[in-house]
Amino acid sequence: MANLKQGEFVGSLDCGTTSTRFLVFDKYANIVAQHQLEYPQYYPEPSWHEQDADELMESCDTCITEATKALEQAGWAKESIKVIGITNQRESAVAWSRKTGKPLCRLIVWTDSRSKNTVAHFEHKLQTVGIEVAPGEFKKGEEGVDALRRLSGLPLSTYFSSIKLRWMIDHYENVRKAHEEDDLMFGTVESWIVYRLTGANLHITDVTNASRTLLMNLNTLKWEPALSKFFEIKESVLPKIVSSSEVYGDITYGPLKGVKIAGIAGDQQAALVGNKCLRQGEAKCTYGTGAFLLFCTGEEIVQSKHGLLSTVAYQDGSTNKPVYALEGSIAVAGSAIKWLRDTMQLVSSANDVNTLAESVPSTGGVFFVTAFSGLLAPYWDPGAAGMLIGISAYTTPAHIALATLEANAFQTRAILESMKLDSKSELKHLMVDGGMTNGDKVMSVLADIGGFTVVRPEMRESTALGSALLAGSAVRLHGWDISKPETLAEVNAKGKFEFTPSMPEPEREKRWQGWQRAVERSMGWEEGVDE
């Protein structure tokens, strides 16, 4: 195209749970061009959730190509994209062959809970054999549980990648063989994307994604031999751990051939950065397929005593200290609305849930525990079952719609109650983003049930923006420097909307007690066994 303008933009490849997007941002976080594409999901058995790694990569390539075309149609040369960042659904496990570069099986998605028996096996091992924390020194029982948490920041759960990889090795003959013969390459989604974008030259993961595997030492930011040995996973299959903001390599094909990849963060950490919650005590919650609340704890690792996870928030370059966070994760948020629409067919669009919920003043006593694949923070019960309770002849689809929105709010409150106990501070307002926050009813329910102010920015593509800021900061584009938040003052400085609680305190507490009773009844429905 003739006479295209030259700009200074940063691209962000955002590979979420159900769709991929490529967005192009200017220095103020205005979106100059974008493209989004859903890709197939597979549910071959109850509690299984899979994706095809090649199909996922095709969606990435298409989004980059189409967004670049849109940029040119808007009058800008594709060379205006100076650098890109990558953000991804975390914990999802990909296994591929070193020899062929091809996936060995479908990737196992973070929401998948097929590995309950694998967890039960390692729980038994932790109780009876223990974890070897020093040569010949084993910690077992409660001491073993504490040692695992202290090293990795995480509990044993179907949620984390090493458990999914171990399940693959145990159940797929080709993965087992590849592991034995050092042909196996393992990574979370960003590892696979970088491997492909760089022409199979790089096998890396950043500290935020590595901190979700159960294999990285939170203090050293290196793979921990004691953890690899405990889970019986060879370190040779693991990617190299890098910081969240540095130049890793160049894209080797397509319209952005030669452009540098310089920022990587798991989606929730990226959203923390995108919301500019970079200082101790700042928090955000992203409501997408699931919901994830991160509370920045600065350079200190806070070990939660109330069911939260210690995780890496980001690391600005390989020589800088990491910044840590406490995290609470809700497995089912927006996916419950998708379930109402696609499976139960109570509504024809996601927006209709808000309209339906607004048509009733209360749930009529209904509580919906959305434990489709167990419960995550702060309950940590893989055996919890999804449950609608309080149903009567009075119950209508509108009551169920409102109960679905309330379930999201109750689980957010449960996490914030734990955060308050761990951090010894009370959150006055919560920054929010993600697709689910587009509905005003969802946000007002959250403020009412939580009893705090909910702050929704006008531009809510915080996850993509976070990886863009990390990439831009690595090359000092626009003078951005993640370690100096004042350099980001002009980024996403547009308006925001606040939702304040209107529910009377006695009513809020009555609903909260009801929710806790409902959760108790849903827990322990399915028990994992050590096969």
Side-chain angles (χ1 to χ4, degrees), residues 211-224:
S211 75
R212 315 296 295 181
T213 59
L214 268 172
L215 296 172
M216 189 187 85
N217 184 312
L218 260 193
N219 287 282
T220 65
L221 306 185
K222 292 182 168 57
W223 299 122
E224 172 54 54

Side-chain angles (χ1 to χ4, degrees), residues 157-168:
S157 168
T158 59
Y159 188 24
F160 304 113
S161 328
S162 63
I163 298 290
K164 298 178 194 301
L165 174 60
R166 188 65 248 172
W167 189 95
M168 290 176 178

